[in-house]
Amino acid sequence: MEKQVLLYEGKAKKIYSTEDPRVVWIQYKDAATAFNGEKKADIKGKGRLNNEISSLLFSLLEERGIPTHFLEKKSATEQTVQHVTIIPLEVVVRNVVAGSLAKRTGFEEGHELSRPIVEFYYKNDALGDPLFNEDHIEAMKLAKEQELLEMRALALMVNSVLLPYFAEKKVRLIDFKLEFGRNEEGALLLADEVSPDTCRLWDEQTNEKLDKDVFRRDLGELTDAYETILTRLGGALHV
Amino acid sequence: MEKQVLLYEGKAKKIYSTEDPRVVWIQYKDAATAFNGEKKADIKGKGRLNNEISSLLFSLLEERGIPTHFLEKKSATEQTVQHVTIIPLEVVVRNVVAGSLAKRTGFEEGHELSRPIVEFYYKNDALGDPLFNEDHIEAMKLAKEQELLEMRALALMVNSVLLPYFAEKKVRLIDFKLEFGRNEEGALLLADEVSPDTCRLWDEQTNEKLDKDVFRRDLGELTDAYETILTRLGGALHV
Ligand SMILES: Nc1ncnc2c1ncn2[C@@H]1O[C@H](COP(=O)(O)OP(=O)(O)O)[C@@H](O)[C@H]1O
Ligand SMILES: Nc1ncnc2c1ncn2[C@@H]1O[C@H](COP(=O)(O)OP(=O)(O)O)[C@@H](O)[C@H]1O
Ligand SMILES: [Mg+2]
Ligand SMILES: [Mg+2]
């Protein structure tokens, strides 16, 4: 399999075609962005860390029966995945209050929820990724009621796998964002990435942030935090 | 029945006790506020118009089988209602895109929805009345799943009554906000007010705004717009 033409460049990844129309080649970039692209930086080594961590977590989720787009890690910063049509929704699962949920509800950051909260945001940079309810999603024809139920169930399954997995590694899974898409056969697959860019991960002992909030809030070296996560997950150390 | 002590003063109404603990006395004020209280004005005659229109619409809704708090119009600006414990949610029903829904979705103001959208906002001025989904509502213990279903069903029933009623009067019901509460016996009742302060109402021919947007957007004399609504609904003309 060969990487061919650049199909799309996002904020964190480049997507290339391959000779197989059902497969695309993802290259993770050394770029960090936050606040809808307002804050930006080049961060050497970030692409490799996210590619390693995402490959590792997608493999775990596949093993546990969750259908994902992941096919194969191709290099330190690249992987092949099934090409999907992305459903333009960011599906967020939260176990602990943080970020916008603290602002929305008035709960303190760190407040433990008695059960997970699932949220759907419209993936639209121009509108600032607004929160949607099911009526908004159906009115905009982004997904049908049945698809919403499926995405919600899959998102909660992902949480049920990742929460104890991270806990074993002494990491608290605070919240995470998923994207779903449909492949050529119409199957709903977990797509995009699962990495410290898309999860909030806090050290179990100290609550030290080991995720993109380190960049958003200027808390230190982002790659140190991501390296800590990769090491705890048993991934290869940087050489 | 007598008006006794002031229990609560809100932005648009004063609530007094009566000798019957199950009954409160509402006095509509000559005050307009918008943008979470940032814009304010005294508007002579507004209290009367909202009291007349709200009394009229609550009577209609009661007739059509919707349980409401409304008891009796007591004066030009006053009415008695059943005392309820307000559920701190603003239940919004939308037939046509306007206001924050245009901003949220990118739909043009005026876009006709193929079916109504129902939204729940957390009634909390300090937080700016944020949009909530059902998980937020349950996490904050504001209402149970069953209550949400009940409020949603009642809100859609109100829409089914008001939409053709206003249409007969050559008025388009664009959207409206409801509040619900429980009385001493635990019955869920439609409470608060239903008026041009809480509905978007556009003239059928010209789409002229006949509601609080006249104040929010400085489109003319607010009381002229409300007087037009009261007249079309067959209410008493100002003397
Ligand atoms: N399997 C896939 N097939 C097609 N597109 C995908 C797949 N996985 C992720 N994408 C999309 O690739 C794009 C690039 O990723 P990213 O750089 O994270 O973009 P963004 O700037 O939108 O966050 C995103 O629009 C994402 O939804
Ligand atoms: N039947 C009722 N029993 C008790 N409180 C009510 C009833 N109907 C409305 N209310 C409450 O009366 C308060 C005063 O109304 P208003 O001036 O509109 O307040 P706000 O500034 O919160 O919009 C509101 O908090 C409203 O929820
Ligand atoms: Mg992305
Ligand atoms: Mg009010």
Side-chain angles (χ1 to χ4, degrees):
Chain A
M1 181 141 304
E2 296 284 314
K3 162 163 113 176
Q4 292 185 335
V5 297
L6 181 66
L7 298 176
Y8 181 73
E9 176 161 359
K11 295 189 290 290
K13 304 186 287 295
K14 291 180 179 175
I15 312 279
Y16 295 89
S17 64
T18 66
E19 62 271 26
D20 184 342
R22 294 165 307 175
V23 176
V24 292
W25 187 291
I26 294 187
Q27 190 195 322
Y28 282 75
K29 305 198 296 183
D30 278 347
T33 65
F35 310 118
N36 199 8
E38 269 176 49
K39 181 169 181 173
K40 277 185 222 188
D42 283 344
I43 297 181
K44 201 164 156 357
K46 175 173 175 287
R48 184 190 69 90
L49 288 161
N50 275 344
N51 185 53
E52 299 283 356
I53 295 167
S54 206
S55 296
L56 203 149
L57 294 176
F58 272 121
S59 303
L60 169 75
L61 292 168
E62 276 287 342
E63 254 170 48
R64 301 298 178 83
I66 289 158
T68 84
H69 73 162
F70 184 70
L71 294 171
E72 204 184 345
K73 205 182 91 174
K74 300 303 279 188
S75 78
T77 60
E78 296 167 302
Q79 58 184 255
T80 49
V81 301
Q82 288 187 59
H83 175 252
V84 299
T85 305
I86 292 280
I87 297 169
L89 291 170
E90 302 200 337
V91 185
V92 172
V93 180
R94 299 173 177 274
N95 298 303
V96 176
V97 174
S100 70
L101 187 66
K103 293 207 185 101
R104 187 175 299 276
T105 59
F107 277 138
E108 294 264 306
E109 188 154 281
H111 173 88
E112 292 260 1
L113 296 163
S114 57
R115 57 193 181 82
I117 284 181
V118 179
E119 298 169 328
F120 293 93
Y121 293 88
Y122 181 28
K123 188 173 159 59
N124 185 314
D125 286 344
L127 297 172
D129 296 337
L131 179 72
F132 267 22
N133 72 19
E134 299 182 13
D135 283 3
H136 299 133
I137 293 169
E138 289 170 40
M140 303 275 292
K141 296 193 200 323
L142 303 181
K144 304 209 178 84
E145 200 182 340
Q146 184 52 40
E147 291 179 305
L148 282 180
L149 290 173
E150 257 184 88
M151 282 188 278
R152 185 183 163 88
L154 284 170
L156 289 170
M157 274 175 66
V158 169
N159 193 42
S160 305
V161 172
L162 294 186
L163 197 60
Y165 176 79
F166 275 112
E168 265 176 36
K169 322 289 186 189
K170 312 289 182 214
V171 173
R172 296 175 69 195
L173 177 61
I174 304 303
D175 57 37
F176 56 92
K177 181 271 290 179
L178 302 176
E179 295 182 25
F180 292 91
R182 291 205 178 272
N183 68 8
E184 311 262 294
E185 285 105 58
L188 188 70
L189 303 180
L190 179 63
D192 201 49
E193 65 181 291
V194 182
S195 75
D197 265 18
T198 62
C199 302
R200 278 198 175 89
L201 302 166
W202 295 359
D203 178 78
E204 189 189 83
Q205 291 301 311
T206 64
N207 281 329
E208 187 193 352
K209 289 174 179 50
L210 300 171
D211 56 57
K212 204 166 83 175
D213 275 345
V214 172
F215 172 70
R216 286 192 198 94
R217 305 182 189 185
D218 296 315
L219 302 176
E221 279 297 328
L222 189 67
T223 47
D224 289 352
Y226 288 25
E227 199 79 61
T228 301
I229 293 296
L230 181 57
T231 307
R232 293 211 194 161
L233 302 192
L237 266 177
H238 202 172
V239 281
Chain B
M1 181 138 308
E2 296 284 314
K3 163 163 113 175
Q4 293 185 335
V5 297
L6 181 66
L7 297 177
Y8 181 73
E9 175 161 359
K11 296 188 289 292
K13 304 187 287 295
K14 290 180 179 176
I15 313 280
Y16 294 89
S17 63
T18 66
E19 62 272 29
D20 184 341
R22 293 165 308 176
V23 176
V24 292
W25 186 290
I26 294 186
Q27 188 195 323
Y28 281 76
K29 305 198 295 182
D30 278 347
T33 65
F35 312 120
N36 198 9
E38 270 175 48
K39 182 169 181 172
K40 280 187 220 187
D42 283 345
I43 297 181
K44 202 166 157 357
K46 175 172 174 288
R48 185 191 68 89
L49 287 160
N50 276 344
N51 185 53
E52 299 283 357
I53 295 167
S54 206
S55 296
L56 203 147
L57 294 175
F58 271 121
S59 303
L60 170 74
L61 292 168
E62 276 286 342
E63 255 171 47
R64 301 299 177 83
I66 290 158
T68 85
H69 73 161
F70 184 71
L71 294 171
E72 204 183 344
K73 204 183 93 176
K74 300 303 279 187
S75 79
T77 60
E78 296 167 303
Q79 57 184 259
T80 49
V81 301
Q82 290 188 56
H83 175 250
V84 300
T85 304
I86 292 281
I87 296 169
L89 291 170
E90 302 200 335
V91 185
V92 171
V93 180
R94 298 173 177 273
N95 298 302
V96 175
V97 174
S100 71
L101 188 65
K103 292 206 185 100
R104 188 176 298 276
T105 60
F107 277 136
E108 294 264 306
E109 189 154 281
H111 173 89
E112 292 261 3
L113 296 164
S114 56
R115 57 192 182 81
I117 284 180
V118 180
E119 298 169 328
F120 293 95
Y121 293 88
Y122 180 29
K123 189 172 158 58
N124 184 314
D125 286 343
L127 297 173
D129 296 337
L131 179 72
F132 267 21
N133 72 19
E134 299 183 12
D135 283 3
H136 299 133
I137 293 169
E138 289 170 40
M140 302 275 291
K141 297 194 198 324
L142 302 180
K144 303 208 178 87
E145 201 182 340
Q146 184 53 39
E147 291 180 304
L148 283 179
L149 290 172
E150 257 186 88
M151 283 189 275
R152 185 184 163 87
L154 283 170
L156 290 170
M157 274 175 65
V158 170
N159 193 43
S160 305
V161 171
L162 294 185
L163 197 60
Y165 176 79
F166 276 111
E168 265 175 36
K169 321 291 186 191
K170 312 288 182 216
V171 173
R172 298 175 68 195
L173 177 61
I174 304 303
D175 57 37
F176 57 91
K177 181 272 289 179
L178 302 176
E179 295 182 24
F180 292 91
R182 292 206 177 271
N183 69 9
E184 311 261 293
E185 284 105 56
L188 188 69
L189 303 180
L190 179 63
D192 202 48
E193 65 182 290
V194 181
S195 75
D197 265 18
T198 63
C199 302
R200 278 198 175 88
L201 303 166
W202 295 359
D203 178 77
E204 188 189 81
Q205 291 301 310
T206 64
N207 281 328
E208 188 193 351
K209 289 172 178 52
L210 300 170
D211 56 59
K212 203 165 84 175
D213 274 345
V214 172
F215 171 70
R216 286 192 197 96
R217 304 180 190 184
D218 295 315
L219 302 175
E221 280 297 329
L222 190 67
T223 48
D224 289 353
Y226 288 25
E227 200 77 64
T228 300
I229 292 298
L230 180 58
T231 308
R232 293 214 193 159
L233 301 192
L237 267 177
H238 203 173
V239 282

